[in-house]
Short mmCIF file of all heavy atoms in Angstrom, two decimals:
data_model
loop_
_atom_site.label_atom_id
_atom_site.label_comp_id
_atom_site.label_asym_id
_atom_site.label_seq_id
_atom_site.Cartn_x
_atom_site.Cartn_y
_atom_site.Cartn_z
N ALA A 1 -7.27 -13.06 -15.07
CA ALA A 1 -8.40 -14.14 -15.35
C ALA A 1 -7.88 -15.39 -15.05
O ALA A 1 -6.67 -15.79 -15.44
CB ALA A 1 -8.90 -13.98 -16.66
N GLN A 2 -8.56 -16.15 -14.15
CA GLN A 2 -8.27 -17.58 -13.84
C GLN A 2 -9.46 -18.34 -14.03
O GLN A 2 -10.71 -17.86 -14.17
CB GLN A 2 -7.67 -17.65 -12.55
CG GLN A 2 -6.32 -16.93 -12.30
CD GLN A 2 -5.86 -16.96 -10.95
OE1 GLN A 2 -6.58 -17.32 -9.99
NE2 GLN A 2 -4.52 -16.77 -10.76
N ASP A 3 -9.30 -19.70 -13.92
CA ASP A 3 -10.56 -20.59 -13.83
C ASP A 3 -11.50 -20.13 -12.65
O ASP A 3 -11.03 -19.86 -11.49
CB ASP A 3 -10.19 -22.01 -13.58
CG ASP A 3 -9.57 -22.73 -14.77
OD1 ASP A 3 -9.67 -22.13 -15.93
OD2 ASP A 3 -8.91 -23.75 -14.63
N GLN A 4 -12.83 -19.92 -12.97
CA GLN A 4 -13.82 -19.59 -11.84
C GLN A 4 -13.67 -18.23 -11.37
O GLN A 4 -14.23 -17.82 -10.30
CB GLN A 4 -13.80 -20.60 -10.74
CG GLN A 4 -13.83 -22.06 -11.18
CD GLN A 4 -14.98 -22.34 -12.02
OE1 GLN A 4 -16.23 -22.07 -11.59
NE2 GLN A 4 -14.90 -23.12 -13.06
N GLY A 5 -12.85 -17.35 -12.05
CA GLY A 5 -12.83 -15.90 -11.52
C GLY A 5 -11.40 -15.16 -11.73
O GLY A 5 -10.88 -15.57 -12.82
N CYS A 6 -11.08 -14.38 -10.91
CA CYS A 6 -9.85 -13.45 -11.21
C CYS A 6 -9.02 -13.35 -9.90
O CYS A 6 -9.67 -13.12 -8.84
CB CYS A 6 -10.18 -12.12 -11.66
SG CYS A 6 -11.12 -12.16 -13.27
N GLN A 7 -7.80 -13.30 -10.03
CA GLN A 7 -6.92 -12.75 -9.06
C GLN A 7 -6.68 -11.27 -9.13
O GLN A 7 -6.46 -10.81 -10.29
CB GLN A 7 -5.60 -13.47 -9.02
CG GLN A 7 -4.65 -13.26 -7.90
CD GLN A 7 -5.20 -14.10 -6.68
OE1 GLN A 7 -6.03 -15.01 -6.62
NE2 GLN A 7 -4.65 -13.59 -5.42
N VAL A 8 -7.03 -10.46 -8.17
CA VAL A 8 -7.07 -9.05 -8.32
C VAL A 8 -5.94 -8.59 -7.30
O VAL A 8 -5.95 -8.99 -6.13
CB VAL A 8 -8.35 -8.40 -7.80
CG1 VAL A 8 -8.22 -6.95 -7.99
CG2 VAL A 8 -9.41 -8.97 -8.80
N ILE A 9 -5.00 -7.89 -7.84
CA ILE A 9 -3.77 -7.44 -7.08
C ILE A 9 -3.87 -5.92 -7.16
O ILE A 9 -4.15 -5.29 -8.23
CB ILE A 9 -2.46 -7.84 -7.72
CG1 ILE A 9 -2.48 -9.41 -7.81
CG2 ILE A 9 -1.28 -7.33 -7.01
CD1 ILE A 9 -1.47 -9.99 -8.88
N THR A 10 -3.63 -5.28 -6.03
CA THR A 10 -3.56 -3.85 -5.90
C THR A 10 -2.24 -3.50 -5.16
O THR A 10 -1.85 -4.16 -4.20
CB THR A 10 -4.80 -3.19 -5.24
OG1 THR A 10 -4.65 -1.78 -5.44
CG2 THR A 10 -4.97 -3.54 -3.84
N GLU A 11 -1.53 -2.57 -5.72
CA GLU A 11 -0.15 -2.20 -5.08
C GLU A 11 -0.18 -0.76 -5.10
O GLU A 11 -0.69 0.05 -6.08
CB GLU A 11 0.94 -2.73 -5.78
CG GLU A 11 1.25 -4.13 -5.51
CD GLU A 11 2.57 -4.58 -6.04
OE1 GLU A 11 3.66 -4.05 -5.56
OE2 GLU A 11 2.62 -5.47 -6.92
N GLU A 12 0.46 -0.16 -4.06
CA GLU A 12 0.74 1.34 -4.04
C GLU A 12 2.10 1.66 -3.55
O GLU A 12 2.50 1.00 -2.54
CB GLU A 12 -0.44 1.98 -3.16
CG GLU A 12 -0.20 3.48 -3.12
CD GLU A 12 -1.42 4.24 -2.38
OE1 GLU A 12 -2.47 3.73 -2.53
OE2 GLU A 12 -1.23 5.27 -1.79
N THR A 13 2.61 2.65 -4.16
CA THR A 13 3.97 3.15 -3.58
C THR A 13 3.74 4.62 -3.34
O THR A 13 2.94 5.32 -4.08
CB THR A 13 5.11 2.89 -4.49
OG1 THR A 13 4.90 3.52 -5.76
CG2 THR A 13 5.35 1.41 -4.90
N GLN A 14 4.48 5.15 -2.31
CA GLN A 14 4.47 6.54 -1.91
C GLN A 14 5.83 7.10 -1.68
O GLN A 14 6.65 6.32 -1.15
CB GLN A 14 3.60 6.75 -0.75
CG GLN A 14 2.16 6.36 -0.96
CD GLN A 14 1.26 6.80 0.41
OE1 GLN A 14 1.82 7.34 1.32
NE2 GLN A 14 -0.04 6.42 0.39
N ARG A 15 5.83 8.40 -1.97
CA ARG A 15 7.12 9.13 -1.56
C ARG A 15 6.76 10.54 -1.25
O ARG A 15 5.55 10.98 -1.46
CB ARG A 15 8.21 9.00 -2.67
CG ARG A 15 7.83 9.58 -4.00
CD ARG A 15 8.90 9.41 -4.97
NE ARG A 15 8.95 10.46 -5.95
CZ ARG A 15 8.40 10.33 -7.05
NH1 ARG A 15 7.94 9.20 -7.56
NH2 ARG A 15 8.34 11.36 -7.95
N GLY A 16 7.65 11.23 -0.56
CA GLY A 16 7.37 12.64 -0.15
C GLY A 16 7.68 12.76 1.35
O GLY A 16 7.98 11.70 2.11
N TRP A 17 7.56 13.89 1.88
CA TRP A 17 7.82 14.06 3.27
C TRP A 17 6.87 13.41 4.11
O TRP A 17 7.29 12.98 5.34
CB TRP A 17 7.98 15.58 3.62
CG TRP A 17 6.64 16.39 3.51
CD1 TRP A 17 6.31 17.18 2.56
CD2 TRP A 17 5.71 16.58 4.59
NE1 TRP A 17 5.03 17.84 2.81
CE2 TRP A 17 4.67 17.45 4.10
CE3 TRP A 17 5.48 15.92 5.84
CZ2 TRP A 17 3.58 17.72 4.79
CZ3 TRP A 17 4.44 16.29 6.64
CH2 TRP A 17 3.47 17.21 5.99
N LEU A 18 5.62 13.38 3.93
CA LEU A 18 4.68 12.69 4.81
C LEU A 18 4.90 11.27 5.00
O LEU A 18 5.10 10.74 6.03
CB LEU A 18 3.28 12.90 4.28
CG LEU A 18 2.04 12.56 5.17
CD1 LEU A 18 2.18 13.20 6.62
CD2 LEU A 18 0.78 12.69 4.56
N PRO A 19 5.02 10.42 3.82
CA PRO A 19 5.31 9.01 4.02
C PRO A 19 6.73 8.74 4.56
O PRO A 19 6.96 7.84 5.28
CB PRO A 19 5.19 8.40 2.57
CG PRO A 19 4.99 9.57 1.66
CD PRO A 19 4.60 10.76 2.50
N SER A 20 7.67 9.75 4.33
CA SER A 20 8.96 9.57 4.95
C SER A 20 8.89 9.58 6.45
O SER A 20 9.65 8.94 7.18
CB SER A 20 9.94 10.68 4.45
OG SER A 20 10.29 10.44 3.07
N LEU A 21 8.05 10.49 6.99
CA LEU A 21 7.91 10.69 8.47
C LEU A 21 7.13 9.53 9.06
O LEU A 21 7.37 9.14 10.22
CB LEU A 21 7.31 11.94 8.82
CG LEU A 21 8.10 13.15 8.62
CD1 LEU A 21 7.28 14.42 8.86
CD2 LEU A 21 9.40 13.27 9.42
N PHE A 22 6.12 8.97 8.37
CA PHE A 22 5.21 8.05 8.93
C PHE A 22 5.12 6.76 8.08
O PHE A 22 4.00 6.18 8.00
CB PHE A 22 3.76 8.72 9.07
CG PHE A 22 3.81 10.06 9.91
CD1 PHE A 22 3.73 11.32 9.31
CD2 PHE A 22 3.92 9.87 11.30
CE1 PHE A 22 3.76 12.44 10.04
CE2 PHE A 22 3.93 11.05 12.06
CZ PHE A 22 3.89 12.27 11.29
N SER A 23 6.08 6.28 7.59
CA SER A 23 6.04 5.08 6.60
C SER A 23 5.50 3.89 7.26
O SER A 23 4.64 3.21 6.73
CB SER A 23 7.47 4.79 6.08
OG SER A 23 8.41 4.43 7.16
N TRP A 24 5.87 3.47 8.53
CA TRP A 24 5.36 2.23 9.08
C TRP A 24 3.80 2.49 9.28
O TRP A 24 3.00 1.58 8.97
CB TRP A 24 5.95 2.05 10.47
CG TRP A 24 5.44 0.84 11.14
CD1 TRP A 24 5.78 -0.49 10.91
CD2 TRP A 24 4.43 0.77 12.06
NE1 TRP A 24 5.03 -1.32 11.63
CE2 TRP A 24 4.18 -0.57 12.42
CE3 TRP A 24 3.59 1.81 12.67
CZ2 TRP A 24 3.08 -0.97 13.28
CZ3 TRP A 24 2.66 1.39 13.60
CH2 TRP A 24 2.36 -0.06 13.89
N PHE A 25 3.44 3.57 9.91
CA PHE A 25 1.90 3.84 10.08
C PHE A 25 1.18 3.88 8.74
O PHE A 25 0.11 3.25 8.66
CB PHE A 25 1.81 5.19 10.82
CG PHE A 25 0.38 5.57 11.09
CD1 PHE A 25 -0.24 4.90 12.21
CD2 PHE A 25 -0.20 6.48 10.53
CE1 PHE A 25 -1.52 5.20 12.43
CE2 PHE A 25 -1.55 6.84 10.78
CZ PHE A 25 -2.26 6.20 11.83
N ILE A 26 1.72 4.42 7.76
CA ILE A 26 1.00 4.59 6.48
C ILE A 26 0.82 3.19 5.77
O ILE A 26 -0.13 2.85 5.37
CB ILE A 26 1.63 5.66 5.56
CG1 ILE A 26 1.44 7.08 6.02
CG2 ILE A 26 1.18 5.49 4.16
CD1 ILE A 26 2.22 8.15 5.41
N LYS A 27 1.92 2.46 5.84
CA LYS A 27 1.87 1.12 5.17
C LYS A 27 0.85 0.28 5.93
O LYS A 27 0.07 -0.45 5.23
CB LYS A 27 3.30 0.44 5.24
CG LYS A 27 3.17 -0.97 4.62
CD LYS A 27 4.59 -1.55 4.54
CE LYS A 27 4.48 -2.96 3.72
NZ LYS A 27 5.79 -3.58 3.62
N LYS A 28 0.88 0.27 7.21
CA LYS A 28 -0.17 -0.52 7.89
C LYS A 28 -1.54 -0.09 7.56
O LYS A 28 -2.39 -0.97 7.33
CB LYS A 28 0.05 -0.41 9.47
CG LYS A 28 -0.78 -1.19 10.37
CD LYS A 28 -0.53 -0.88 11.74
CE LYS A 28 -1.42 -1.62 12.64
NZ LYS A 28 -1.29 -1.31 14.17
N GLY A 29 -1.86 1.18 7.40
CA GLY A 29 -3.19 1.63 7.12
C GLY A 29 -3.48 1.21 5.68
O GLY A 29 -4.66 0.77 5.31
N LEU A 30 -2.48 1.27 4.67
CA LEU A 30 -2.83 0.89 3.35
C LEU A 30 -3.19 -0.65 3.31
O LEU A 30 -4.10 -0.96 2.48
CB LEU A 30 -1.55 1.18 2.44
CG LEU A 30 -1.23 2.62 2.07
CD1 LEU A 30 0.02 2.75 1.37
CD2 LEU A 30 -2.28 3.30 1.39
N LEU A 31 -2.30 -1.37 3.93
CA LEU A 31 -2.58 -2.85 3.77
C LEU A 31 -3.97 -3.11 4.38
O LEU A 31 -4.74 -3.85 3.74
CB LEU A 31 -1.63 -3.55 4.68
CG LEU A 31 -0.11 -3.55 4.01
CD1 LEU A 31 0.89 -4.13 5.00
CD2 LEU A 31 -0.19 -4.40 2.63
#
C-alpha cells in the first residue's frame, strides 16, 4: 500500500529439467 494505490510485485522462480534446458526462453515468456 502506498499513497493513491499499491505497488504490486510478482516474482517466480523455477527449477527442473524443463527450465534448465530452456531458461532464457522461459524467463522471457514469464516477464
Side-chain angles (χ1 to χ4, degrees):
Q2 298 178 338
D3 289 342
Q4 310 300 315
C6 299
Q7 191 70 17
V8 181
I9 303 160
T10 187
E11 284 192 62
E12 182 169 326
T13 61
Q14 292 185 5
R15 59 180 209 261
W17 66 263
L18 187 63
S20 292
L21 289 175
F22 301 104
S23 61
W24 178 84
F25 180 75
I26 291 171
K27 181 175 181 173
K28 183 179 175 185
L30 286 174
L31 290 170

